[in-house]
Amino acid sequence: TYRNAWVMADGKIAVDPGRKAKLLIPRIKEEAQRRIIALTGQTDLISSMVKQSNANMRATELNDKRISGTQLTADEATEAVALRGLAAAIKAIRAKSNELEKNPPDDFEDDKYWQV
């Protein structure tokens, strides 16, 4: 995994932390993407993006209705809460990814790093 991060230091082969981080960052982004795809209940990136786009459009519709003074039905209010929850969960995954990229651990796939 780290063969491109090896350096010679004090006559010994060592892993350069900067090079190692550069190798891990794309993998952390992929892990975040995998988690978002799973969160949306999809199996691939395109389907997940479509799901997110549709969720954003529906959230906008519900918000526009509310702003116009029309009260949401009970079902619409429940849907709005679910859509906000989905958006918050995706935002949290992205934030965790950004955090991990600063100092990537070897075991970044472990759920302990992704808990919110």
Side-chain angles (χ1 to χ4, degrees):
T1 304
Y2 305 120
R3 72 178 166 186
N4 293 330
W6 293 348
V7 293
M8 193 67 127
D10 298 325
K12 298 179 182 175
I13 295 176
V15 175
D16 178 281
R19 289 182 186 176
K20 177 182 158 188
K22 286 181 182 179
L23 294 170
L24 286 178
I25 288 171
R27 294 182 54 212
I28 290 169
K29 290 179 184 291
E30 288 171 5
E31 178 63 14
Q33 180 177 300
R34 184 194 68 75
R35 289 174 179 272
I36 291 169
I37 290 168
L39 180 67
T40 61
Q42 303 304 304
T43 57
D44 62 271
L45 179 60
I46 299 297
S47 298
S48 178
M49 296 300 293
V50 169
K51 178 90 172 202
Q52 290 176 65
S53 178
N54 289 340
N56 284 333
M57 287 188 297
R58 181 61 177 151
T60 299
E61 289 172 356
L62 294 172
N63 197 41
D64 287 349
K65 183 176 180 181
R66 199 175 46 79
I67 289 171
S68 74
T70 305
Q71 195 167 14
L72 298 179
T73 66
D75 286 345
E76 288 172 332
T78 299
E79 183 182 8
V81 169
L83 291 169
R84 280 193 293 278
L86 176 64
I90 290 170
K91 185 176 178 180
I93 291 170
R94 289 181 177 144
K96 289 291 184 178
S97 177
N98 291 339
E99 185 181 312
L100 289 171
E101 290 169 28
K102 292 176 187 170
N103 188 20
D106 289 337
D107 61 342
F108 64 88
E109 293 170 322
D110 192 312
D111 287 339
K112 70 183 177 188
Y113 296 109
W114 299 92
Q115 295 173 0
V116 290

